[in-house]
Each structure stands twice: as C-alpha cells, then as structure tokens.
Amino acid sequence: MEKMSWRPQYRSSKFRNVYGKVANREHCFDGIPITKNVHDNHFCAVNARFLAIVTESAGGGSFLVIPLEQTGRIEPNYPKVCGHQGNVLDIKWNPFIDNIIASCSEDTSVRIWEIPEGGLKRNMTEAILELYGHSRRVGLVEWHPTTNNILFSAGYDYKVLIWNLDIGEPVKMIDCHTDVILCMSFNTDGSLLSTTCKDKKLRVIEPRSGRVLQEASCKNHRVNRVVFLGNMKRLLTTGVSRWNTRQIALWDQEDLAMPLIEEEIDGLSGLLFPFYDADTHMLYLAGKGDGNIRYYEIGSEKPYLSYLMEFRSPAPQKGLGVMPKHGLDVSACEVFRFYKLVTLKGLIEPISMIVPRRSESYQEDIYPMTPGTEPALTPDEWLGGINRDPVLMSLKEGYKKSPKVVFKAPIKEKKSVVVNGIDLLENVPPRTENELLRMFFRQQDEIRRLKEELSQKDIRIRQLQLELKNLRNNPKNN
C-alpha cells in the first residue's frame, strides 16, 4: 500500500479549473426549519422538479417538498408530508418517476409518497404505500439504479430488505451484518451492493442472493461511507484513521484484502461524505459540520487520485442533496450541483460546479451520454437474475422528455370486521413485534389526542369558572 504526496502534479485536465458558484440569495430556499436530528444522513433529496427536506417537527416526522422554481422565503405554515409517527431518517426520490419519493423513519416503516403535480397544497398524511417489515427503526433507503420499483431499506435490526413495489412486499432479506448499516452504494448496473457497517467491515454483496463476495476488516481505517466508482471496479471509502484523522481509501472491488491507497485528509471530526460523478470521473468530498468541498479526479492508473481544488465557505453544512445529471444547466457548463443545508440559518443553498469555457455551444466532451429517466428492467426481470446497464440519454437537447413510467400502487386488502361500529380485528393481539410496534404507535397517537382534548377541556373549565367568579363578584349583579 502506498502513501501519496500532495505535491501538485501539473497534468492537462479539462477539470483542473472547475469552480464552485453559490446561487444568489434569491435563488436559495430560506426559512426552513431543518431537522436537528444527529443521524448521519443528508436529510435532503433533489431531482429536476422538487427539493425535499426533512424538517424539525413536534410529534412524528415530516418533510417539506418544494418545487425547484419556488425559491426565496418559505412560509412557516407551508404544507408538509407528515404521516410518519417517528422522526424521518432518510428520503430518496425515485430515479425514474419525478413525483414519487420514499421515506423511512424511527417508526419502523418505509413509506412511498406521490407528490401532486405542482407540489403540496395541504399537509399530506396518506402515503400510497406503507411498508412494514423491519422490527426496529429504518435508517436508510436506496432505489435500485436500473430497475423500476425495487427499493432497498436498511434498519437498526441489522437487516437490508429488498421491496418489490409492484406488489408492495419485501421479496428478499440480506442478513449478513452484525451491527447498524451506515451506508449502501450500488455499482452502475445494480448487480452489486456495497455496505459499510458499525462492525468496522466493508462488504461487497450480491443483492439477490445476499451472498457476501468480498469483506474487509478495516483495522486502521474505520469506514463510514462507501461509493462505487462507476464501472472502474473500484470502491472509495471515507473514514477515520487510528489517530482520529479523517481519511479516504481506494479499494479494488474484487480484492478487499488491502486498500490500493489510503490518504489522510485533515484532523477535523465531522463525517466525510463522498460523491462520485462517473461522467467526469470527479470525486467530491464534503465534511459534515464544515463548509468545504474538496474535489479530485480519479484515474485508472497510479496515482489514481489527483487533487483538483477546494470550494470553501464559512457556513457549515449539515448535509447535501445532489441534482441528477438531467437537471443541470448545460448551457452554463455546470457538471454537478449540490444543495447545501445550512441549519443555523434555515437555509438551502445551491452550489454549482462549473467548468469555465468561453464557447456558448454544447460541450460534448464534458457531457457524455448519461443514465437517464427510463428504467432498464422490470422488478421481475431483475429478481429473475437479469442485469442490464442503465438506459443512457444525451443532455444535448435539454431535458424535455416526459417519463413513460407511472407508479401504480398495489391494492392491499384492508381486512376489517365491524360489529356495532367496533372493528373486532383492531383488538386482535399482535402476532409479530412489528404489529406490536404499530399498535403501540397507534395507541400513542390516540393517547396524545385524548390528552390534548383533556387539556382543552381543562382550559375551558377554568375559563367558565373565572367567568362565574366574575359574575358573582360583579356588584351590578347583586
């Protein structure tokens, strides 16, 4: 394993001068009560139409969905998606259907929501699908990159469930982790899944069989996050060295015995989030709690990683959303766009990464064909063992194509036996831990509602007592 030196090597790279440009204040999103949850997620998801942010809310979990053109100050009573009974821990947009978003929560459920055409006009409490299968809170959700309606969720029960949303059921369970799963990443065609885990292991898994193909026990490099580097057969992890400095490591996905390189970044303590752009072979590293985003170019030959530059900002980031490729402004030579959560200001700040070019025409060399909005497979094909690369699209004509895919929620039977207005099945003792949890949350809701009703009635009684006292004490009435 080699140590690299940071001596600048002057290479001719078209990305050497990429710079970060922060949107003007009026193009930011302001007045957003960003969640104070300390879970290490982004709490933010973005696509070509909407921005979704997990918010701080009393009683249950909620998130905002804002149409991208609706920048500026967001009203305090702006409608929310608020059906979860516990904090929302992760949200992800469906890569093929613009208005479908998945969320997971401390209430053990995963939910699928359909956002109306122009955004929310009122609070949304009804999900089109509620998925129960985890026995503890659910920390991560990821959509399969090439298959429509396949969703992965990772829970604090150390399990990864694979859901087929065509039927609304879990179809596979990956049960090889011995602690909380911190991160999930797919290779380009979704035939491999890589995970990092609190048990300090990095794994490469065949998702349909749940077989662990490769495993690294990271003694010197405590892994936090992992990202597949497109089709390069490499993985990149961010983590902490034994001296508690932040570092990154590059791995060969077919041999995790030793990292190809390990590189110390700095002595700060916040988690390093890695983002990889397979089209430009650029890697972005953003520290949670600091304002910097470093970026590198990744090559297949040594030294593998070439440092390009650093975007600096004094405002610390809690998390970052990333715009899919087809939502970028190609006329401005924008190659990547972050949406930065600045908790202290309740602000979401778009940051565009731009390649400086003089020409006005479309820059073919920085915009190769890129995975588009059309799935390559149906759930049955993928589950049956077929792998297929993403369906590519050109960004040249600007993204105008309306997606052919629509989401149809499976009809789930809601069984009930109502006698004299009482649902008898409501009172059947729970069979599983999950049912018990659901019942518990339902009862908590009911208790909360009754307590509120009671306190309202208490207040009303006190008001009436006061009015009565005033009437008695008023001399006119004597």
Side-chain angles (χ1 to χ4, degrees):
M1 191 188 69
E2 306 186 5
K3 279 280 174 202
M4 285 168 48
S5 78
W6 275 142
R7 270 191 218 100
Q9 289 168 339
Y10 291 101
R11 301 155 34 263
S12 63
S13 161
K14 53 184 115 159
F15 303 113
R16 204 174 60 214
N17 297 316
V18 167
Y19 65 96
K21 183 182 176 194
V22 181
N24 300 336
R25 192 65 192 238
E26 65 270 21
H27 292 123
C28 295
F29 300 82
D30 205 351
I32 293 172
I34 300 165
T35 178
K36 295 189 174 64
N37 196 310
V38 295
H39 195 72
D40 278 331
N41 271 355
H42 290 295
F43 299 113
C44 170
V46 65
N47 66 17
R49 286 172 59 194
F50 297 110
L51 170 68
I53 320 277
V54 179
T55 58
E56 194 58 26
S57 63
S62 62
F63 57 96
L64 289 173
V65 174
I66 306 162
L68 280 188
E69 61 279 2
Q70 201 178 321
T71 53
R73 193 151 190 83
I74 302 298
E75 293 303 310
N77 54 357
Y78 194 86
K80 291 183 175 74
V81 177
C82 50
H84 279 290
Q85 285 110 336
N87 286 325
V88 174
L89 298 179
D90 198 12
I91 47 175
K92 295 274 162 56
W93 289 106
N94 183 320
F96 309 115
I97 314 171
D98 270 349
N99 64 333
I100 299 288
I101 190 167
S103 62
C104 62
S105 155
E106 289 181 349
D107 67 10
T108 77
S109 77
V110 175
R111 297 186 190 200
I112 310 295
W113 309 86
E114 186 171 19
I115 306 301
E117 209 37 53
L120 298 182
K121 298 287 175 275
R122 61 184 72 82
N123 279 357
M124 181 179 267
T125 53
E126 287 297 311
I128 47 174
L129 262 183
E130 284 183 30
L131 307 171
Y132 287 95
H134 286 286
S135 58
R136 296 185 61 191
R137 59 188 165 156
V138 190
L140 296 169
V141 281
E142 283 298 338
W143 294 90
H144 191 273
T146 60
T147 309
N148 187 34
N149 277 351
I150 290 280
L151 183 75
F152 284 59
S153 61
Y156 276 61
D157 50 9
Y158 313 158
K159 293 175 178 53
V160 175
L161 291 182
I162 306 177
W163 304 86
N164 176 355
L165 303 188
D166 279 0
I167 57 169
E169 299 288 339
V171 282
K172 302 273 174 193
M173 180 171 77
I174 300 170
D175 193 7
C176 59
H177 300 86
T178 59
D179 207 327
V180 176
I181 300 144
L182 302 173
C183 182
M184 296 191 282
S185 175
F186 289 100
N187 64 344
T188 309
D189 67 1
S191 59
L192 296 174
L193 171 72
S194 181
T195 61
T196 56
C197 179
K198 256 199 174 141
D199 64 12
K200 300 190 179 64
K201 286 188 177 152
L202 167 67
R203 293 174 175 87
V204 174
I205 300 162
E206 200 293 307
R208 284 166 293 216
S209 64
R211 227 172 67 239
V212 179
L213 306 177
Q214 287 286 327
E215 188 173 276
S217 294
C218 309
K219 299 278 185 290
N220 302 336
H221 168 78
R222 204 161 66 245
V223 286
N224 283 321
R225 288 289 177 277
V226 60
V227 62
F228 263 102
L229 302 181
N231 281 333
M232 297 176 88
K233 296 204 184 294
R234 302 260 196 271
L235 293 167
L236 183 121
T237 56
T238 66
V240 182
S241 74
R242 51 167 57 170
W243 321 116
N244 272 353
T245 56
R246 299 199 287 194
Q247 59 176 192
I248 54 177
L250 186 69
W251 309 78
D252 176 342
Q253 77 183 35
E254 282 160 8
D255 178 13
L256 298 185
M258 285 290 272
L260 297 168
I261 51 171
E262 269 179 356
E263 189 52 57
E264 303 222 338
I265 300 297
D266 58 26
L268 297 175
S269 59
L271 183 84
L272 272 180
F273 291 119
F275 302 90
Y276 180 65
D277 177 2
D279 296 351
T280 58
H281 300 297
M282 282 176 69
L283 168 78
Y284 300 87
L285 291 180
K288 183 180 174 178
D290 58 60
N292 305 351
I293 301 172
R294 297 171 173 86
Y295 38 106
Y296 305 77
E297 202 169 355
I298 294 203
S300 48
E301 307 292 313
K302 286 181 181 172
Y304 304 122
L305 262 169
S306 311
Y307 175 74
L308 292 168
M309 239 188 311
E310 183 172 4
F311 165 81
R312 294 188 162 200
S313 147
Q317 56 230 2
K318 182 185 179 76
L320 294 152
V322 170
M323 174 62 78
K325 268 282 147 92
H326 60 260
L328 299 179
D329 181 359
V330 294
S331 64
C333 293
E334 182 183 37
V335 288
F336 214 73
R337 191 190 305 158
F338 292 104
Y339 283 77
K340 168 174 163 173
L341 276 61
V342 187
T343 320
L344 298 172
K345 300 182 183 167
L347 183 70
I348 313 290
E349 201 174 57
I351 301 165
S352 297
M353 307 309 289
I354 289 169
V355 180
R357 292 271 167 104
R358 286 203 178 84
S359 163
E360 293 296 300
S361 62
Y362 179 70
Q363 307 289 309
E364 210 82 43
D365 62 324
I366 58 175
Y367 297 116
M369 297 283 281
T370 191
T373 54
E374 217 178 297
L377 293 165
T378 65
D380 290 345
E381 287 173 325
W382 184 76
L383 290 164
I386 300 173
N387 294 320
R388 212 172 277 157
D389 279 333
V391 179
L392 301 180
M393 67 186 283
S394 163
L395 300 179
K396 186 168 188 174
E397 306 311 319
Y399 168 65
K400 295 289 174 285
K401 227 170 66 177
S402 59
K404 302 186 193 105
V405 194
V406 284
F407 188 84
K408 281 207 233 7
I411 290 145
K412 288 185 142 187
E413 308 270 305
K414 206 169 182 232
K415 301 184 187 77
S416 62
V417 183
V418 179
V419 182
N420 298 351
I422 295 165
D423 187 349
L424 299 181
L425 286 184
E426 280 278 72
N427 303 319
V428 170
R431 283 186 303 278
T432 63
E433 192 179 346
N434 242 330
E435 281 184 22
L436 186 68
L437 275 166
R438 258 188 308 192
M439 239 166 170
F440 168 74
F441 282 122
R442 240 199 326 255
Q443 283 171 349
Q444 291 296 88
D445 274 358
E446 184 68 358
I447 290 166
R448 204 178 296 132
R449 198 180 57 74
L450 290 169
K451 274 184 176 166
E452 271 171 25
E453 228 172 82
L454 208 61
S455 72
Q456 292 301 327
K457 289 194 168 137
D458 274 354
I459 291 165
R460 187 78 192 108
I461 289 167
R462 275 205 297 279
Q463 281 174 339
L464 289 168
Q465 281 174 333
L466 275 171
E467 281 173 30
L468 202 64
K469 204 172 176 182
N470 287 343
L471 279 170
R472 283 202 187 119
N473 295 344
N474 197 331
K476 280 185 195 161
N477 297 338
N478 293 338

